[in-house]
């Protein structure tokens, strides 16, 4: 049996040029954000436990708690809103198709009975409000001609709805049943976010024209503006009121977040500017914010969540980071403590410490895409989708010097001889390249289409797997390979080959769902019938004591076999990562870390029966 | 030449042994083989009642098709001892295509000759007839 002990969450998915909306529940101290097709509930006091809701069939855009905290409404790009319970295993209460296009914002009414949703209605309605349990419409929302980016309910009676959009308009509706009252065209660019203050007295709208305008909440008349001195120098993407309604937090593409003090007459003055702590590139543009309890939360384009303390905004914020896309490799580095390195194909490499979670992002000078990654204590070697193989020296969490070499065609697989790390084997489509100290030692054309390869820890032997399912074993001497044996058992292209840590066995897996463990010296099959996956096997890992093999597959399962026992007595972890498992590594003899398409990394504890 | 699609002749011994398994429980399993030259289904192996499921899986060749009948005993949720007679069409992926075709086309006629099969199962590799699969099909 395997039980989940830790999850290293992914980051919210962001898009350049648009803001994102994150929300939270002050009572349970949690924040909600979306990535791909899942909604993530993250508890700020328990960062290693997250709850995931994955029932949407389309990418999710926004999710919000109901005012009583019992229900969450989440919306996706197809225009569907799902309302589900927070407890009780996320039981679905209702599902409505609200708009014909993407939904950009969603709000509950203060009494929890109505929901307003806005977005891209593709020419028809852009905003719709409906009762939460029956779905019946509560009003006519004309007045917009383009995508509506944000909407909000006035938190106090009399009820009003304000909406703003790409047609530069801010519209005000009275009701229920809601009818158009007036609109303002004060902004000169997309109006990105609109929010009522918690006491219901003021309304603020922020726009890509770098302005923020404040209105009276009851009548909808303009009151004043956020002062332009010391204002933002880039589009303002999101705004959030403090709990007392006296301050707002705005985030902008100029990579800063500003806290403004709002006066009774409706003008605002900057009271604090929070500079970004990153390197200042495009990925530090801030796209989302939330002011909850005593925390100021900002989200940057790279997905990093920064937590500032409201009472002491000058203190260094806590940065929570994660991957945004498929995590396709996982390796373990054992320096003075165990560190897991995960990398995603978009080039981000993150470090994690088992037990505490996120421990830094590897700052790289250039972020080329990564397909394969191997790591030792002092350096990592990566290869991507171009013809280059990179070697980067590691110095705690800073990437040191990076050197690269062009190997002639796209590397299919990369392997380092663990005991002599300057020897590496790169497999290309038609052969292999031996690298010594980042210089090409030899480029050998093997004559068959290579799909996977591995080199022995001492560099004396190499195994190359081909498109036809045959495993070729070569002995390596100097710069040449001599074929020793060919093993035929697999019925599909080989996807991964790994030596056991004690070097007595190796395991291979193919695209036809089968894995085999072989004895290295006698070339006999040690464990076969490892056919329990239902889709291609993507990754394979050995336990440190060479007794267990774990395989991860596109069918979202991780299966752990014991070499001494028959394959049928296996431990299966079902649905480990929706979308497929792409990375696997054993942390120690009874903990496995897996990563997958959903951009999360999970640690499982294996309990022997 | 008998048309393979209309089914191979069934040797009388097969029916007799199956009736013995059903009525008197003299065997745990029976493995049948199609003899192409005689164009008949004949009994290849018989299993003693004391043998287990693992002995049965070991008696099936890994790269040739077979038919098999297995008498599976289990205990239900209400603590009753029950048994089910399984018909397993063993057609491994590694066997020859001609073999798979002959066994597939003769299966229906052969099954009709054996009256009293409760569950039918087709297995193309050992994982598909694992003990957990059998247990889940038994209920």
């Amino acid at each position: 049996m395997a039980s989940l002990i830790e999850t290293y969450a992914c980051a919210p998915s962001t898009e350049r040029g648009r803001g994102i909306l994150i929300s939270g529940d002050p009572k349970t101290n949690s924040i909600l954000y979306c990535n791909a097709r899942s909604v993530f509930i993250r508890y700020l006091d328990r960062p290693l436990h997250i709850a995931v809701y994955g029932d949407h069939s389309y990418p999710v855009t926004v999710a919000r708690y109901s005012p009583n905290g019992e229900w969450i409404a989440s919306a996706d790009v197809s225009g569907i809103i799902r309302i589900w319970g927070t407890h009780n295993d996320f039981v679905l209460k209702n599902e409505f198709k609200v708009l014909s296009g993407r939904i950009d914002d969603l709000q509950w009414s203060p009494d929890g009975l109505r929901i307003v949703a806005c977005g891209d209605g593709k020419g028809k309605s852009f905003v719709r409000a409906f009762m939460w349990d029956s779905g019946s419409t509560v009003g006519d929302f004309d007045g917009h001609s383009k995508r509506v980016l944000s909407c909000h309910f006035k938190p106090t009676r009399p009820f009003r709805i304000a909406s703003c959009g790409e047609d530069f308009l801010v519209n005000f509706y009275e009701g229920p049943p809601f009818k158009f009252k007036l609109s303002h065209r004060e902004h000169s660019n997309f109006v990105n976010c609109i929010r009522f203050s918690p006491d219901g007295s003021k309304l603020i709208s922020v726009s890509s024209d770098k302005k923020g305008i404040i209105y009276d909440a009851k009548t909808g008349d303009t009151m004043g503006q956020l002062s332009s001195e010391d204002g933002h120098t880039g589009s303002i993407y999101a705004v959030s009121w403090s709990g007392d309604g006296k301050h707002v937090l705005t985030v902008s593409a100029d990579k800063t977040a500003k806290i403004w003090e709002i006066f009774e007459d409706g003008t605002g003055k900057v009271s604090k500017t929070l500079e970004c702590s990153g390197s200042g590139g495009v990925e530090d543009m801030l796209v989302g914010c939330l002011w909850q309890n005593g925390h100021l939360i900002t989200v940057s384009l790279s997905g990093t969540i920064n937590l500032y303390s409201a009472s002491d905004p000058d203190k260094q914020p806590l940065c929570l980071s994660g991957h945004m896309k498929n995590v396709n490799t996982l390796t373990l580095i054992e320096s003075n403590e165990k560190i897991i390195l995960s990398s995603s194909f978009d080039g981000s490499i993150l470090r994690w410490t088992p037990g505490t979670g996120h421990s830094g992002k590897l700052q790289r000078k250039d972020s080329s895409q990564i397909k394969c990654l191997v790591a030792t204590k002092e350096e990592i070697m990566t290869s991507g989708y171009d013809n280059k193989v990179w070697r980067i020296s590691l110095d705690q969490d800073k990437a040191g010097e990076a050197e690269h070499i062009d190997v002639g065609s796209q590397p299919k697989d990369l392997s380092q001889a663990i005991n002599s790390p300057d020897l590496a084997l790169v497999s290309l489509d038609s052969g292999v390249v031996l690298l010594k100290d980042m210089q090409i030692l030899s480029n050998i054309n093997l004559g068959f289409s290579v799909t996977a390869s591995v080199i022995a820890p001492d560099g004396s032997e190499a195994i190359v797997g081909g498109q036809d399912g045959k495993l070729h074993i070569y002995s390596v001497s100097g710069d040449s390979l001599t074929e020793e044996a060919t093993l035929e058992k697999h019925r599909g292209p080989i996807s991964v080959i790994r030596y056991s840590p004690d070097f007595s066995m190796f395991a291979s897996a193919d695209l036809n769902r089968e894995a085999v463990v072989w004895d290295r010296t006698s070339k006999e099959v040690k464990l076969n019938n490892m056919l329990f996956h239902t889709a291609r096997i993507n990754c394979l890992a050995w336990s440190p004591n060479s007794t267990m093999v774990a395989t991860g597959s596109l069918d979202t399962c991780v299966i752990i076999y014991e070499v001494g026992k028959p394959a049928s007595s296996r431990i299966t972890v079902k649905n480990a990562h929706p979308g497929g498992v792409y990375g696997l590594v054993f942390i120690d003899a009874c903990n496995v870390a897996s990563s997958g398409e959903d951009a999360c990394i999970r640690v499982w504890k294996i309990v022997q029966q | 030449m008998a048309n393979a699609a209309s089914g191979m002749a069934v040797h009388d011994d097969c029916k007799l042994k199956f009736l013995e398994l059903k009525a008197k429980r003299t065997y745990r399993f029976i493995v049948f083989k199609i003899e192409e030259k005689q164009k008949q289904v004949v009994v290849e192996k018989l299993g003693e009642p004391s043998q287990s499921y693992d002995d049965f899986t070991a008696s099936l060749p890994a790269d040739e098709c077979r038919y098999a009948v297995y008498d599976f005993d289990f205990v239900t949720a209400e603590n009753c001892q029950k048994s089910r007679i399984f018909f397993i069409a063993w057609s491994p992926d590694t066997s020859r295509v001609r073999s798979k075709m002959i066994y597939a086309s003769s299966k229906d006629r052969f099954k009709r000759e054996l009256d009293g099969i409760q569950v039918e199962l087709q297995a193309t590799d050992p994982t598909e007839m694992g003990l957990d699969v059998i247990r889940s099909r038994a209920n």
Side-chain angles (χ1 to χ4, degrees):
Chain A
M1 288 278 87
S3 52
L4 177 63
I5 49 173
E6 282 169 11
T7 311
Y8 304 145
C10 62
S13 50
T14 59
E15 194 190 331
R16 182 159 176 189
R18 295 220 176 276
I20 64 159
L21 298 161
I22 54 173
S23 66
D25 186 23
K27 276 179 273 182
T28 52
N29 207 12
S30 56
I31 55 172
L32 276 184
Y33 58 80
C34 316
N35 181 312
R37 288 181 284 157
S38 314
V39 179
F40 291 87
I41 305 172
R42 217 153 158 187
Y43 298 97
L44 293 176
D45 44 6
R46 284 178 282 149
L48 289 178
H49 289 93
I50 54 167
V52 182
Y53 179 73
D55 284 352
H56 275 276
S57 336
Y58 290 91
V60 192
T61 48
V62 65
R64 291 215 191 269
Y65 274 99
S66 69
N68 58 5
E70 289 297 310
W71 307 97
I72 296 181
S74 54
D76 62 19
V77 298
S78 71
I80 291 180
I81 291 185
R82 284 181 147 239
I83 303 169
W84 36 282
T86 329
H87 315 289
N88 221 357
D89 218 15
F90 300 156
V91 57
L92 178 70
K93 162 113 175 121
N94 254 319
E95 185 185 18
F96 301 112
K97 182 154 172 105
V98 171
L99 293 179
S100 48
R102 184 199 164 102
I103 296 184
D104 284 309
D105 200 356
L106 167 81
Q107 294 290 345
W108 291 82
S109 66
D111 54 3
L113 293 177
R114 295 176 192 80
I115 296 180
V116 64
C118 69
D120 189 3
K122 287 200 178 56
K124 286 175 273 176
S125 59
F126 291 96
V127 185
R128 241 192 89 189
F130 56 96
M131 303 297 290
W132 82 297
D133 47 1
S134 64
S136 48
T137 315
V138 248
D140 262 326
F141 291 89
D142 323 312
H144 275 294
S145 56
K146 283 218 200 128
R147 185 165 156 185
V148 177
L149 294 171
S150 184
C151 59
H152 205 207
F153 251 108
K154 181 160 169 291
T156 54
R157 286 182 186 275
F159 284 150
R160 301 274 182 273
I161 292 181
S163 65
C164 65
E166 283 187 3
D167 47 7
F168 314 167
L169 291 175
V170 170
N171 281 1
F172 209 65
Y173 302 90
E174 275 183 348
F178 291 98
K179 276 192 307 296
F180 174 78
K181 180 163 181 239
L182 52 82
S183 79
H184 287 286
R185 215 201 153 85
E186 317 255 330
H187 284 293
S188 50
N189 206 334
F190 292 178
V191 192
N192 286 316
C193 194
I194 191 163
R195 292 282 176 261
F196 280 96
S197 65
D199 56 5
S201 60
K202 295 186 203 60
L203 173 65
I204 185 169
S205 67
V206 290
S207 157
S208 294
D209 63 0
K210 311 172 200 144
K211 288 202 300 229
I213 300 182
I214 301 167
Y215 313 81
D216 178 276
K218 231 185 311 199
T219 59
D221 300 321
T222 327
M223 277 172 79
Q225 276 198 38
L226 291 180
S227 115
S228 48
E229 91 178 56
D230 214 16
H232 280 296
T233 50
S235 307
I236 309 180
Y237 285 124
V239 65
S240 185
W241 286 88
S242 66
D244 56 9
K246 301 242 180 334
H247 291 92
V248 288
L249 171 70
T250 58
V251 287
S252 156
D254 64 0
K255 307 168 199 136
T256 60
K258 290 188 196 291
I259 306 177
W260 307 75
E261 199 183 332
I262 306 291
F263 304 106
E264 278 313 311
D265 63 351
T267 52
K269 213 161 69 76
V270 178
S271 76
K272 191 105 198 71
T273 302
L274 303 169
E275 298 289 338
C276 77
S277 46
S279 53
V282 161
E283 47 185 41
D284 287 319
M285 285 191 187
L286 295 171
V287 290
C289 69
L290 184 67
W291 192 320
Q292 183 165 285
N293 293 348
H295 297 288
L296 297 172
I297 301 165
T298 62
V299 182
S300 71
L301 189 65
S302 63
T304 313
I305 303 175
N306 303 305
L307 253 94
Y308 295 86
S309 153
S311 48
D312 186 11
D314 285 322
K315 207 166 65 152
Q316 267 297 32
L318 178 65
C319 291
L320 302 169
S321 192
H323 283 287
M324 261 201 287
K325 299 258 155 86
N326 181 350
V327 182
N328 56 3
T329 65
L330 261 190
T331 39
L332 185 72
I333 306 184
E334 298 193 53
S335 35
N336 31 350
E337 45 168 13
K338 287 187 198 220
I339 300 214
I340 301 177
L341 262 192
S342 63
S343 82
S344 167
F345 67 81
D346 59 7
S348 52
I349 307 179
L350 271 75
R351 296 164 72 234
W352 310 87
T353 315
T356 45
H358 177 68
S359 76
K361 184 173 172 157
L362 210 63
Q363 307 287 354
R364 290 169 69 205
K365 297 202 181 58
D366 75 303
S367 45
S368 49
Q369 295 179 317
I370 298 180
K371 186 174 165 213
C372 314
L373 184 144
V374 285
T376 54
K377 251 185 289 190
E378 301 94 28
E379 61 184 25
I380 49 176
M381 285 184 73
T382 71
S383 74
Y385 295 97
D386 52 14
N387 296 350
K388 300 200 183 74
V389 173
W390 292 79
R391 181 169 76 172
I392 306 162
S393 57
L394 278 184
D395 174 24
Q396 290 300 59
D397 62 343
K398 280 189 216 354
E401 278 312 303
E403 27 173 338
H404 66 97
I405 183 159
D406 185 317
V407 289
S409 64
Q410 187 192 116
K412 292 269 182 91
D413 205 351
L414 184 61
S415 170
Q416 237 180 345
I418 306 172
N419 297 345
S420 50
D422 42 335
L423 190 61
L425 185 71
V426 181
S427 61
L428 312 172
D429 188 44
S430 55
V432 291
V433 170
L434 273 168
L435 287 180
K436 190 163 172 79
D437 217 9
M438 287 311 275
Q439 298 297 324
I440 297 186
L441 198 57
S442 59
N443 186 335
I444 305 162
N445 187 322
L446 291 174
F448 59 88
S449 184
V450 178
T451 48
S453 65
V454 72
I455 188 167
D458 57 356
S460 62
E461 203 178 73
I463 309 180
V464 179
Q467 185 85 10
D468 49 7
K470 294 195 199 160
L471 287 168
H472 300 257
I473 307 185
Y474 296 93
S475 62
V476 179
S477 54
D479 62 349
S480 62
L481 298 176
T482 339
E483 175 144 1
E484 301 269 321
T486 303
L487 301 173
E488 291 184 34
K489 182 159 169 51
H490 285 283
R491 285 168 278 156
I494 313 281
S495 57
V496 63
I497 317 172
R498 290 273 179 270
Y499 278 104
S500 66
D502 64 355
F503 201 34
S504 65
M505 302 177 271
F506 63 91
S508 54
D510 62 18
L511 262 50
N512 200 30
R513 326 169 330 255
E514 187 174 9
V516 183
V517 176
W518 310 80
D519 183 293
R520 192 184 73 89
T521 33
S522 64
K523 319 276 190 292
E524 296 278 307
V525 174
K526 261 201 119 144
L527 185 61
N528 67 350
N529 273 350
M530 299 164 72
L531 263 168
F532 290 93
H533 279 295
T534 51
R536 55 178 278 178
I537 299 184
N538 283 325
C539 48
L540 195 149
W542 281 91
S543 67
N545 50 8
S546 302
T547 52
M548 295 196 276
V549 175
T551 56
S553 155
L554 188 64
D555 67 359
T556 75
C557 299
V558 174
I559 302 186
I560 302 161
Y561 303 93
E562 251 185 273
V563 179
K565 293 198 194 150
S568 46
S569 64
R570 66 210 184 277
I571 301 174
T572 314
V573 180
K574 284 210 169 93
N575 216 12
H577 293 272
V581 180
Y582 283 88
L584 259 187
V585 75
F586 266 86
I587 302 177
D588 53 36
C590 43
N591 289 314
V592 188
S594 67
S595 74
E597 175 83 35
D598 63 349
C600 294
I601 299 165
R602 295 195 165 89
V603 180
W604 312 87
K605 190 174 187 68
I606 307 167
V607 174
Q608 292 298 346
Q609 227 100 35
Chain B
M1 179 168 107
N3 191 352
S6 59
M8 294 286 169
V10 179
H11 194 251
D12 287 336
D13 204 25
C14 303
K15 288 181 260 196
L16 288 168
K17 294 281 182 291
F18 178 71
L19 286 166
E20 274 185 49
L21 181 149
K22 199 169 61 151
K24 292 184 250 166
R25 304 213 174 281
T26 39
Y27 308 110
R28 172 66 54 197
F29 62 84
I30 311 174
V31 179
F32 303 96
K33 183 184 164 150
I34 291 184
E35 286 287 345
E36 256 188 81
K37 291 189 200 62
Q38 306 156 18
K39 298 189 191 15
Q40 279 200 38
V41 184
V42 295
V43 172
E44 193 200 12
K45 263 183 222 162
L46 293 162
E48 300 294 310
S50 53
Q51 291 186 293
S52 71
Y53 191 71
D54 294 319
D55 297 320
F56 169 57
T57 33
S59 68
L60 290 173
D63 52 0
E64 274 184 37
C65 302
R66 292 284 184 271
Y67 298 127
V69 166
Y70 186 83
D71 186 12
F72 181 62
D73 287 328
F74 62 103
V75 184
T76 62
E78 296 100 26
N79 249 350
C80 319
Q81 187 76 17
K82 269 199 187 168
S83 81
R84 289 262 184 271
I85 298 184
F86 277 76
F87 178 82
I88 297 172
W90 170 242
S91 257
D93 279 332
T94 43
S95 59
R96 295 175 54 235
V97 178
R98 184 187 167 77
S99 176
K100 284 187 242 190
M101 274 239 55
I102 294 179
Y103 275 81
S105 52
S106 320
K107 181 186 74 163
D108 236 6
R109 187 172 177 224
F110 179 55
K111 254 181 37 181
R112 255 178 267 136
E113 303 259 345
L114 306 180
D115 182 28
I117 293 173
Q118 288 158 316
V119 187
E120 194 209 324
L121 189 59
Q122 189 194 26
T124 60
D125 64 44
T127 63
E128 291 186 12
M129 46 180 277
L131 201 51
D132 41 354
V133 178
I134 299 275
R135 257 196 219 114
S136 62
R137 292 293 297 270
N139 301 329

